[in-house]
């Protein structure tokens, strides 16, 4: 689920869904047969004639859609049906009944979002055919059907252009070059020119990289034929695509190699294929009065871990694999729902345990998804070697699926954690008890212990446990 706000320009999956697929049909007095509209990642609409709509399951609609699109069996695992609106996103289980969930949409919004009543009243979900959060990336690389690859490519491209997947400029240019190859054909020197790319730049790069200033100084800077950095970098990357992938003479008109190359590059992004949730975190206290406040974040959860992304600045604040964190959620009746993330860190050279507090009405959903992802990983680990044997054969010369995150990240990368932008609760374990790290003078840009005074409720003699610590923290 996701409640994050989208960018102007290219719209993300939630922002494109202002049309209803299911719930609006419920105004009819009798529903014997009706068309359900399913939206694909490229905004294509697929109408499905459905009998007895209120009792139709997501699994039945999924099967009908696969038949219409003539997709292979792998699509059953690779894709899922989602109910999506600008306020909330829900991946449906096979047994879910989309019509009934559509009718219950206002209740879901009141329970899991902070949307005002007037927004809840007019919000309607659309039914979308999107990537399954629980589909492993290693299996994605084994897909050879071009239409399945295209749908995955279109979804990944939409997330990149909408800045839902934060990317460094170099990665944006490399991905944009592959989009150029798909839309414009093989690169030929002099065609297109950088000026030609400039006209369609937002089709290849995220909107925030395409923004240009206005006024006299912008006009003076734009004089002449020299293109901006975005166009030049994109054009240079486009010129390298043909060499990297090779001529299409051997593949006919197939675009599968380029779809696959785009997906392979997208896999380097640690939040590829995540489910997104909305929340807020405390800002580090700054200034003489130690004022902080909160900042909106997107919490991205996948089979690999959790990433907290700054919704405004479009960069990662914290990235953790499941083996690097502990978690819990609290839903006090008279307080806000909170997702707690605990991880190892340091405070001015002292090893400490850090607690990050994420305020969100979706804390329960995030906690359940983390638990389920960990369970899936534990059950799939023993079977991983057999999967390659029984699964579809890999193409000759195809790259092996990645087993670990890239070993190096460029300094200042948007996908690197920025703990200095977070306010955490820090504490250390001493003997059988827990001792909090005392408050320190606040300096600009320094990592501080947000709400350290709350930690003082932990007994110095009680054997430490994360559950005990969090329960005592909530009581305070």
């Amino acid at each position: 689920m996701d409640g994050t706000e989208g960018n102007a320009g290219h719209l993300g999956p939630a922002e494109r869904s202002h049309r209803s697929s299911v719930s609006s049909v419920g105004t009819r007095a009798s529903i014997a047969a009706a068309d359900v509209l399913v939206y694909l990642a490229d905004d294509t609409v697929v109408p499905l004639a459905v009998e007895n709509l209120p009792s139709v399951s997501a699994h039945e609609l999924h099967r009908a859609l696969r038949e219409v699109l003539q997709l292979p069996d792998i699509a059953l695992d690779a894709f899922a049906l989602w109910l999506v609106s600008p306020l909330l996103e829900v991946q449906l289980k096979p047994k879910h009944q989309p019509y009934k969930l559509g009718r219950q949409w206002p209740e879901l919004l009141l329970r899991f979002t902070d949307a005002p009543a007037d927004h809840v009243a007019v919000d309607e979900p659309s039914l979308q055919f999107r990537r399954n959060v629980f589909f492993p990336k290693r299996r994605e690389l084994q897909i050879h059907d071009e239409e399945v690859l295209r749908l995955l490519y279109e979804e990944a491209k939409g997330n990149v252009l909408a800045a839902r997947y934060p990317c460094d400029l170099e990665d944006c240019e490399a991905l944009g070059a592959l989009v150029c190859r798909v839309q414009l054909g093989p690169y030929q020197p002099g065609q297109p020119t950088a000026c030609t790319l400039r006209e369609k730049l937002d089709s290849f790069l995220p909107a925030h990289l395409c923004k240009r200033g206005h006024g006299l100084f912008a006009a003076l800077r734009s004089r002449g034929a020299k293109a901006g950095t975005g166009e030049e970098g994109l054009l240079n990357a486009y010129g390298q695509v043909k060499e990297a992938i090779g001529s299409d003479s051997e593949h006919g008109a197939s675009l599968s190699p380029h779809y696959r190359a785009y997906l392979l590059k997208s896999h380097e992004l640690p939040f590829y294929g995540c489910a997104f949730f909305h929340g807020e975190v405390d800002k580090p206290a700054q200034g003489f009065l130690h004022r902080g406040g909160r900042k909106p974040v997107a919490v991205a959860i996948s089979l690999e871990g959790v990433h907290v992304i700054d919704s405004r600045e479009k960069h990662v604040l914290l990235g953790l694999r499941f083996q690097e964190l502990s978690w819990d959620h609290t839903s006090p009746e008279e307080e806000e729902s909170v997702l707690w993330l605990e991880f190892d860190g340091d405070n001015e050279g002292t090893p400490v345990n850090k607690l990050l507090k994420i305020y969100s009405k979706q804390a329960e959903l995030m906690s359940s998804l983390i638990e389920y992802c960990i369970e899936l990983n534990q059950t799939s680990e023993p079977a991983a070697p057999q999967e390659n044997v029984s699964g579809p054969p890999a193409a000759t010369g195809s790259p092996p699926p990645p087993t670990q995150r890239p070993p190096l990240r460029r300094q200042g990368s948007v996908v690197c954690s920025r703990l200095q932008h977070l306010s955490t609760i820090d504490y250390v374990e001493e003997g059988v008890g827990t001792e909090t790290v005392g408050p320190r003078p606040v300096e600009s840009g320094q990592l501080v212990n947000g709400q350290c005074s709350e930690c003082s409720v932990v007994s110095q003699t009680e054997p430490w446990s994360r559950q005990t610590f969090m329960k005592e923290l909530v009581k305070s």
Side-chain angles (χ1 to χ4, degrees):
M1 298 186 182
D2 182 20
T4 56
E5 298 181 357
N7 267 9
H10 282 278
L11 301 179
E15 290 72 36
R16 292 198 301 260
S17 59
H18 292 287
R19 301 142 300 197
S20 172
S21 295
V22 178
S23 58
S24 61
V25 184
T27 58
R28 302 177 184 179
S30 175
I31 306 176
D35 282 346
V36 175
L37 304 181
V38 182
Y39 295 85
L40 305 183
D42 60 355
D43 270 348
T44 300
V45 183
V46 181
L48 298 177
V50 177
E51 298 288 340
N52 194 20
L53 177 60
S55 62
V56 171
S57 68
H59 176 74
E60 293 170 320
L61 286 177
H62 198 292
R63 179 178 59 193
L65 184 62
R66 296 198 318 271
E67 291 175 355
V68 170
L69 299 179
Q70 299 182 343
L71 298 178
D73 292 341
I74 190 66
L76 177 62
D77 297 329
F79 298 100
L81 288 175
W82 293 66
L83 279 179
V84 179
S85 82
L87 300 180
L88 188 65
E89 301 185 9
V90 182
Q91 176 173 314
L92 303 183
K93 296 180 180 179
K95 65 181 181 180
H96 280 154
Q97 296 173 322
Y99 174 83
K100 291 184 178 180
L101 283 179
R103 299 288 289 175
Q104 298 169 359
W105 197 249
E107 289 82 0
L108 293 176
L109 295 179
L110 292 174
R111 180 180 177 185
F112 295 119
T113 75
D114 294 312
D118 55 337
H119 290 186
V120 170
V122 298
D123 188 72
E124 290 189 359
S126 66
L127 196 61
Q128 299 189 10
F129 191 63
R130 289 165 49 177
R131 189 185 190 278
N132 184 354
V133 171
F134 307 114
F135 189 63
K137 290 190 291 188
R138 66 177 184 275
R139 291 192 61 194
E140 190 170 288
L141 295 177
Q142 298 172 350
I143 296 175
H144 302 286
D145 184 84
E146 182 164 336
E147 182 61 13
V148 173
L149 290 173
R150 186 189 72 82
L151 291 173
L152 292 170
Y153 154 82
E154 290 286 352
E155 183 172 341
K157 181 187 71 173
N159 284 327
V160 171
L161 293 179
R164 206 180 198 194
Y165 290 170
C167 298
D168 295 321
L169 176 60
E170 296 86 345
D171 293 331
C172 287
E173 290 172 349
L175 291 168
L178 289 166
V179 178
C180 289
R181 174 61 189 84
V182 169
Q183 296 185 4
L184 305 178
Y187 173 80
Q188 297 182 11
Q191 296 182 353
T193 63
C195 293
T196 303
L197 289 181
R198 184 188 307 171
E199 299 173 358
K200 301 180 179 180
L201 199 58
D202 59 354
S203 298
F204 311 121
L205 296 176
H208 67 278
L209 297 180
C210 304
K211 291 180 180 178
R212 299 185 180 279
H214 300 282
L216 176 61
F217 292 104
L220 292 175
R221 285 196 300 268
S222 63
R223 277 188 164 183
K226 186 176 181 180
T229 305
E231 297 95 300
E232 289 181 346
L234 180 63
L235 189 62
N236 292 335
Y238 183 22
Q240 298 174 8
V241 171
K242 183 178 180 181
E243 298 177 6
I245 297 180
S247 173
D248 276 342
S249 59
E250 300 177 0
H251 303 283
S254 174
L255 292 173
S256 293
H258 309 291
Y259 296 148
R260 188 185 302 276
Y262 193 98
L263 294 174
L264 189 61
K265 183 66 177 176
S266 299
H267 287 187
E268 297 178 11
L269 303 174
F271 29 76
Y272 174 80
C274 283
F276 288 85
F277 301 81
H278 171 74
E280 292 181 325
V281 296
D282 292 314
K283 295 179 181 179
Q286 294 183 352
F288 178 74
L289 298 178
H290 294 185
R291 292 180 177 176
R294 296 181 184 177
K295 68 171 68 178
V297 296
V299 183
I301 302 175
S302 70
L303 288 173
E304 298 179 359
V306 180
H307 284 79
V308 181
I309 301 172
D310 191 312
S311 299
R312 292 171 180 163
E313 299 299 328
K314 305 302 181 184
H315 58 222
V316 172
L317 296 170
L318 177 66
L320 297 169
R321 290 199 163 197
F322 290 129
Q323 55 267 38
E324 299 171 337
L325 64 86
S326 298
W327 87 100
D328 203 348
H329 81 280
T330 53
S331 301
E333 294 182 359
E334 298 180 358
E335 299 181 26
E336 296 178 83
S337 296
V338 172
L339 177 72
W340 299 87
L341 297 180
E342 181 192 34
F343 54 98
D344 294 334
D346 70 88
N347 187 293
E348 297 186 355
T350 301
V352 297
N353 296 79
K354 288 182 174 289
L355 274 175
L356 177 64
K357 195 175 183 180
I358 303 176
Y359 306 90
S360 175
K361 293 184 73 172
Q362 301 173 0
E364 179 183 355
L365 299 174
M366 290 187 274
S367 179
S368 298
L369 180 56
I370 292 173
E371 183 175 5
Y372 187 62
C373 286
I374 291 175
E375 291 177 356
L376 282 181
N377 288 334
Q378 291 174 343
T379 56
S380 64
E381 282 175 0
Q386 285 82 5
E387 182 172 334
N388 291 334
V389 177
S390 59
T396 303
S398 61
T403 57
Q404 58 184 7
R405 65 176 66 177
L408 295 175
R409 289 288 185 189
R410 57 182 67 93
Q411 187 175 8
S413 170
V414 297
V415 301
C416 291
S417 296
R418 288 167 168 76
L419 290 179
Q420 70 272 20
H421 295 169
L422 290 173
S423 177
T424 59
I425 300 170
D426 295 359
Y427 61 98
V428 295
E429 207 176 341
E430 294 216 344
V432 295
T434 300
E435 180 178 316
T436 62
V437 178
R440 302 181 186 276
V442 179
E443 298 177 4
S444 177
Q446 176 185 344
L447 180 64
V448 298
N449 303 319
Q451 305 174 30
C452 285
S453 59
E454 295 182 5
C455 301
S456 60
V457 299
V458 181
S459 169
Q460 296 297 312
T461 59
E462 180 183 12
W464 178 84
S465 70
R466 176 177 57 83
Q467 290 80 4
T468 301
F469 180 80
M470 290 183 178
K471 288 178 182 177
E472 294 294 336
L473 189 60
V474 173
K475 289 179 183 178
S476 65

